Amino acid sequence: MMSSNQQKLKHQQVQYVEFLSRDLDKVKAFYTAAFGWTFTDYGPEYTAFEGDFVDGGFTFGAPLKGSILVVLYSEDLEGTRTNVLNAGGLISKEIFAFPGGRRFQFLDPDGYELAVWSL
């Protein structure tokens, strides 16, 4: 029987995303409020999150903007946008249509830009 971690492993697909953060407590509060993520701390300079498809973590350090765009999926784009704003995120690109769906982009507390898309 495969463990839940082994079931996530898909050939040549993103499995883990790691970010730098200036304030781990602030970033954990943001992603918990915006998306309901839960975290496991591994010492004072690292915290990890686990998702159904992709896991990740935040390590203490100075973020670098513009190097990668992580895109999340939402079944309720407007609701997710509201959650991001209520959690303290800043919308960097309002909802727009593209071939295959709609999306918006936002900045998290460390200034990382992420996107959320929906069908």
Side-chain angles (χ1 to χ4, degrees):
M1 179 177 208
M2 288 196 321
S3 72
S4 64
N5 280 340
Q6 288 173 313
Q7 290 174 350
K8 291 182 203 181
L9 300 177
K10 303 291 181 197
H11 182 61
Q12 297 183 359
Q13 298 299 307
V14 174
Q15 194 275 323
Y16 201 89
V17 178
E18 196 166 89
F19 300 89
L20 295 171
S21 176
R22 288 184 185 93
D23 186 331
L24 296 179
D25 290 331
K26 187 174 182 178
V27 83
K28 288 190 300 186
F30 172 79
Y31 283 101
T32 297
F35 301 109
W37 292 3
T38 57
F39 292 86
T40 302
D41 293 335
Y42 294 96
E45 294 190 355
Y46 196 86
T47 189
F49 62 88
E50 185 175 329
D52 289 339
F53 302 101
V54 176
D55 297 337
F58 292 86
T59 190
F60 185 76
L64 302 172
K65 282 177 54 177
S67 60
I68 190 169
L69 179 67
V70 175
V71 182
L72 309 171
Y73 174 76
S74 174
E75 294 178 353
D76 176 10
L77 196 63
E78 286 77 8
T80 299
R81 182 188 176 282
T82 298
N83 291 345
V84 166
L85 288 172
N86 289 342
L90 300 173
I91 303 301
S92 56
K93 288 187 182 176
E94 286 294 344
I95 295 174
F96 64 93
F98 66 94
R102 301 178 312 132
R103 83 179 202 192
F104 71 91
Q105 290 173 214
F106 68 93
L107 302 176
D108 78 358
D110 283 311
Y112 282 114
E113 186 170 32
L114 288 84
V116 181
W117 82 281
S118 186
L119 294 172

